[in-house]
Amino acid sequence: MTPEKLSLPPELLEAVRRISGTEHLLVALDFDGTLSPIVDRAEDARPLPRSAAALEALAELPRTTTALISGRALDSLRLVASPPANTLLIGSHGAEVWLGEGSLGLELDDEQRTKLAAVREVLAEIVNIAPGTLLEDKPAGVVLHTRMADDDVAEDAVEAAMRVLREHPGVYLKTGKRVLETSVVHASKGEAVEFLRQATGATAILFAGDDVTDEDALGRLLGDDVGIKVGLDFTQAHYRVEAPVHVAELLEALLGERRQVTAQA
């Protein structure tokens, strides 16, 4: 049975055709809300089968590098995404990097570990009195999840956490869709995109993401790159699709164009 075809904007399809001709293509993608639909329980997220298949095929093409850039910790990202073996991984918004065998894990110093323990204590106190909120531990931070809380409870919990943690030097805060990300390591998806450009020698990058933190990456793209916002929120991206199912079609279109280009080389 042929997968249902959705209609991507003509200007996006033209951008896909253009970037497919670059010498070395980096396909860098957010995971949650991009390859996978947003779910209530983070551990239940999985990539859409069409997206997973297209990403795996892209990873096998010559002069083409695939990467996932996620707010998730690397262990969580591997578990839910099951990425192709040669796909590069950036976790914890850039604080964790995996470029293949031999990549070093993230190590905190004593001061950072002390800060992290203090952050967790603050957030644990909030979760204890805010029904529907929960914590997720990461190597360099703690995440306050509010997706299952009532709107007023979620808003109050995030506001209280930010008010206290802003007084903690060396603690970095990021807000996203029903989450508050904390970290004792300064990192961003924008820095991750720039790092991957240099590490891979990419001549152009296609990046897609749905969350506020993905705007950091979209803002670092250059003239030959293609940035895609997933969803209807405000963005600085030049292109937009509505949902992860459209990302699947986007990746299939990119795969078809890139296959032709690399076959001719």
Side-chain angles (χ1 to χ4, degrees), residues 160-172:
M162 293 185 69
R163 184 170 59 250
V164 175
L165 293 177
R166 282 195 185 109
E167 302 301 319
H168 288 232
V171 175
Y172 305 97

Side-chain angles (χ1 to χ4, degrees), residues 69 189-191 193 207 213-221 236:
I69 304 178
K189 290 187 178 182
E191 292 168 332
V193 160
F207 176 83
T213 55
D214 294 309
E215 293 297 315
D216 292 335
L218 291 166
R220 302 291 184 100
L221 299 182
Q236 57 193 310

